[in-house]
Amino acid sequence: MKLPIFKWLKGRFLTIGVPYAWLLLFFALPFAIVLKISFSTAAIAIPPYEATFQYADDVLNIFLHLGNYFMLLDDPMYYTAYLSSLKMAVVSTLGCLIIGYPMAYAIARAPARLQTVLLLLVMLPSWTSFLIRVYAWMGLLSNTGIINNTLMWLGVISEPLQILNTNIAVYIGIIYAYLPFMILPLYATLVKFDMSLVEAASDLGSSRLNTFWKITFPLSKSGVIAGSMLVFIPAVGEFVIPELLGGPDSLMIGKVLWQEFFNNRDWPVASSLAIVMLALLIIPITLFHRYQARSLEKDL
Amino acid sequence: MKKLSFSSCMLWFGLIFLYAPMLILVIYSFNESKLVTVWGGFSPKWYGELFADQQILDAVWTSLRIAFYSSTMAVIIGTMAAFVMTRFKRSWAKLTLSNMITAPLVMPEVITGLSLLLLFVHMADLLGWPKERGMLTVWIAHSTFCAAYVAVVVSSRLRELDMSIEEAALDLGATPLKTFFLITVPMISPALVAGWLLSFSLSLDDLVIASFASGPGATTLPMVVFSSVRLGVSPKINALATLIILCVSLIAFLSWYMARRAEKRERMPLN
């Protein structure tokens, strides 16, 4: 029997099935495996960890080693890394917000024709190579780099400042790399903002700063949250920036995970580091999704 | 003259902040001196040395091929997902799909990379496939995270589309598949091209996920750049960086232009 409804259903099934299967296989399943391996112990074998499930004599043994998680609590290196990652991410997010908010505001207030050009100018760097942009800062910040040379030539300093390989360099790098991601959602909310509200406030005698804090800023809250999460979440797990710009003492969790995996070849510890990082990021990720969904619904 | 407001001052400051490092990099790539920070006169000699470096040329070729295949796959999966997200009724399946497809947008790269590598190791263990990690595994990894971007670009386009044309085609007896390829695809083609180009430049640029997913057989350009940059700044890498900036901005500009033209064409009849 070949009713068209069956054919239609088959097409429907394929359309939803193909991306679904792909994502289950290459996105959801991998996380389940990371979770599984995080409960395992390292071993000298290929792959280098012990099996979690064992089936022999009709008995299924499941071994859940919690040791990796206890170790993350015991060893100060790990929780210092988590704390300094969070601190780095918070400070960089604030930095992006301080620089990005006025920029987004200026773009949203610019003439319509200019807006698209300015927006493109802001977005273009984020599409060009991330690695290359971080690399560019290595040359600028080094002891013999342009910033130090210029400052010495101007006579502001007599000795070169040590910027590269410090946390300051990591902050500069993260703010620089993620600034466009802050500006975009901020612009999207600010461009819809009704200027007559500001006019009304100033007519009623409110100062400009007061108007900003009482009206403009609260109304752009969804953009602030979306932009902050877009900067904060990847900044926590950042690897390239601390590796290239930071020093040996700038511990960040992405870097530690990388080292555990590639240098120490301790896969279970790397997996549990990833699981804890994900657990820390669950709140910001859901926050981001909620505000993004809400702004999408508003658009429709 | 109009007084410059605080926000427009910040805008100019911000734009200088964004562009100055890249501009200085480009200028110094033409530096004659072997010392990257000392200006020794204009010379394109580092470009010559770059093109004599076989390892870099091989990596460029590998990266280009991976980027081509990944962006093609990402467009297929991303478009299907976008179609489900915008045209299907709200259901449990649709909700999980749209959550899964957009998750790579915010997921830290080290986690995505690590989890995919562990998957490949498991699959090799249980199924005997993939035998070794290389271009194929990088392709899978890149297709997955690029599909997220394609889904966002294409779904925003699908939402704006006038459904009545598709409905008319269906009423006139076209099959859904035929309607999709003859009506929907031509209407969203600029978004497809933009998504493809965006995926292409994302795949070319990716270091972290590629490092996890690749094996000894496939070294991509960012991996070569990263390993030589770790040792310090070198004039050859400056030349390479300049070329990368040039190419990727060209691709990025093109994808922006395609998306923009599509928007304009859509709005034209209204004006």
Side-chain angles (χ1 to χ4, degrees):
Chain A
M1 209 164 67
K2 261 200 143 186
L3 280 171
I5 184 83
F6 281 113
K7 239 167 118 182
W8 184 73
L9 271 177
K10 207 167 74 185
R12 195 182 169 82
F13 184 74
L14 262 178
T15 327
I16 204 165
V18 171
Y20 214 88
W22 180 282
L23 287 169
L24 273 183
L25 186 59
F26 297 123
F27 190 76
L29 182 64
F31 283 112
I33 293 174
V34 172
L35 187 65
K36 191 200 105 179
I37 293 180
S38 76
F39 288 115
S40 171
T41 47
I44 302 169
I46 299 168
Y49 54 86
E50 272 166 11
T52 319
F53 304 104
Q54 253 173 30
Y55 186 77
D57 303 330
D58 300 334
V59 177
L60 175 68
N61 284 314
I62 301 174
F63 302 99
L64 292 182
H65 293 269
L66 300 173
N68 298 319
Y69 291 97
F70 288 130
M71 196 175 89
L72 297 190
L73 284 173
D74 274 347
D75 194 331
M77 185 185 92
Y78 296 113
Y79 61 72
T80 331
Y82 277 116
L83 283 180
S84 68
S85 283
L86 289 177
K87 192 184 131 206
M88 288 263 185
V90 168
V91 174
S92 319
T93 308
L94 285 177
C96 278
L97 194 61
I98 291 166
I99 302 175
Y101 199 100
M103 287 179 75
Y105 190 83
I107 298 173
R109 291 285 85 83
R113 191 181 288 272
L114 207 60
Q115 276 184 22
T116 49
V117 178
L118 288 172
L119 218 53
L120 178 68
L121 277 177
V122 167
M123 285 311 290
L124 204 57
S126 77
W127 288 330
T128 39
S129 177
F130 179 81
L131 180 60
I132 296 300
R133 285 183 300 139
V134 177
Y135 165 74
W137 279 100
M138 286 174 74
L140 288 178
L141 296 175
S142 76
N143 282 355
T144 54
I146 294 172
I147 291 176
N148 269 317
N149 280 349
T150 317
L151 288 177
M152 273 165 48
W153 181 73
L154 288 170
V156 182
I157 47 170
S158 52
E159 293 257 306
L161 293 171
Q162 173 72 38
I163 311 176
L164 191 66
N165 303 330
T166 65
N167 284 348
I168 307 275
V170 182
Y171 287 130
I172 295 175
I174 296 180
I175 293 175
Y176 175 73
Y178 291 111
L179 186 60
F181 296 112
M182 178 64 90
I183 295 177
L184 209 63
L186 277 175
Y187 163 80
T189 49
L190 283 171
V191 79
K192 282 181 274 176
F193 177 67
D194 188 358
M195 275 310 272
S196 61
L197 291 172
V198 172
E199 280 159 25
S202 67
D203 278 351
L204 294 169
S206 161
S207 74
R208 286 180 63 173
L209 205 65
N210 189 46
T211 312
F212 177 77
W213 281 117
K214 292 269 166 66
I215 296 177
T216 318
F217 194 75
L219 281 174
S220 60
K221 207 178 88 189
S222 68
V224 171
I225 290 179
S228 301
M229 294 306 113
L230 228 44
V231 175
F232 180 82
I233 297 164
V236 169
E238 188 52 57
F239 163 73
V240 177
I241 296 172
E243 178 72 19
L244 293 183
L245 300 179
D249 56 325
S250 49
L251 270 182
M252 280 184 75
I253 204 66
K255 210 171 125 180
V256 173
L257 192 155
W258 182 284
Q259 279 163 358
E260 285 294 345
F261 193 85
F262 284 109
N263 303 354
N264 300 349
R265 295 194 58 77
D266 194 336
W267 293 18
V269 165
S271 302
S272 47
L273 281 168
I275 295 291
V276 174
M277 195 201 300
L278 210 58
L280 285 177
L281 290 176
I282 285 273
I283 297 169
I285 288 175
T286 43
L287 208 65
F288 173 73
H289 271 290
R290 220 182 58 209
Y291 274 88
Q292 206 193 24
R294 199 179 293 174
S295 73
L296 268 179
E297 271 161 30
K298 254 185 226 161
D299 282 341
L300 292 172
Chain B
M1 208 181 108
K2 213 177 83 185
K3 210 181 103 219
L4 272 173
S5 69
F6 167 72
S7 57
S8 38
C9 282
M10 281 302 279
L11 179 62
W12 289 116
F13 166 76
L15 287 176
I16 292 168
F17 175 63
L18 283 176
Y19 282 92
M22 289 198 276
L23 199 69
I24 290 166
L25 185 80
V26 172
I27 294 169
Y28 271 82
S29 74
F30 292 103
N31 191 358
E32 166 81 48
S33 163
K34 203 177 159 71
L35 291 162
V36 185
T37 47
V38 183
W39 184 253
F42 177 87
S43 151
K45 74 170 179 187
W46 299 111
Y47 289 89
E49 282 204 19
L50 182 69
F51 285 109
D53 190 326
Q54 193 56 41
Q55 195 203 1
I56 287 179
L57 294 182
D58 286 345
V60 169
W61 179 231
T62 310
S63 280
L64 285 175
R65 275 189 301 169
I66 291 176
F68 179 82
Y69 295 131
S70 318
S71 43
T72 308
M73 194 64 197
V75 166
I76 296 171
I77 295 176
T79 308
M80 286 173 111
F83 204 76
V84 174
M85 277 156 70
T86 51
R87 293 293 151 84
F88 282 31
K89 270 205 255 9
R90 212 178 159 83
S91 68
W92 178 82
K94 179 186 148 173
L95 219 66
T96 37
L97 181 71
S98 55
N99 275 337
M100 275 200 293
I101 192 106
T102 51
L105 292 177
V106 283
M107 199 61 71
E109 282 180 312
V110 276
I111 297 185
T112 317
L114 176 73
S115 62
L116 276 164
L117 171 59
L118 294 179
L119 172 83
F120 293 138
V121 170
H122 263 67
M123 283 169 82
D125 214 23
L126 294 173
L127 310 171
W129 180 92
K131 273 206 183 61
E132 56 178 17
R133 292 184 298 281
M135 275 188 55
L136 187 72
T137 47
V138 181
W139 168 72
I140 291 174
H142 281 184
S143 305
T144 310
F145 90 87
C146 289
Y149 290 85
V150 175
V152 170
V153 172
V154 173
S155 66
S156 72
R157 181 90 191 107
L158 277 172
R159 274 200 194 93
E160 289 169 6
L161 224 55
D162 189 359
M163 292 268 284
S164 58
I165 305 172
E166 285 165 63
E167 278 159 14
L170 289 170
D171 280 349
L172 292 169
T175 62
L177 198 69
K178 204 166 181 179
T179 312
F180 178 73
F181 280 108
L182 291 180
I183 309 287
T184 317
V185 167
M187 286 203 293
I188 60 169
S189 62
L192 296 181
V193 176
W196 192 90
L197 288 168
L198 184 61
S199 305
F200 193 81
S201 68
L202 283 168
S203 167
L204 270 189
D205 189 30
D206 169 65
L207 164 75
V208 176
I209 293 172
S211 301
F212 276 103
S214 102
T219 313
T220 63
L221 186 61
M223 287 160 75
V224 173
V225 173
F226 183 67
S227 61
S228 64
V229 159
R230 260 179 163 168
L231 304 172
V233 184
S234 97
K236 201 160 49 175
I237 296 295
N238 275 358
L240 177 65
T242 303
L243 291 179
I244 293 176
I245 290 177
L246 200 74
C247 293
V248 182
S249 5
L250 211 68
I251 298 172
F253 183 80
L254 217 62
S255 78
W256 171 81
Y257 182 76
M258 293 302 294
R260 178 103 199 100
R261 212 182 58 172
E263 250 173 59
K264 269 212 181 116
R265 206 163 42 189
E266 181 74 4
R267 284 185 189 146
M268 207 94 90
L270 294 172
N271 295 337

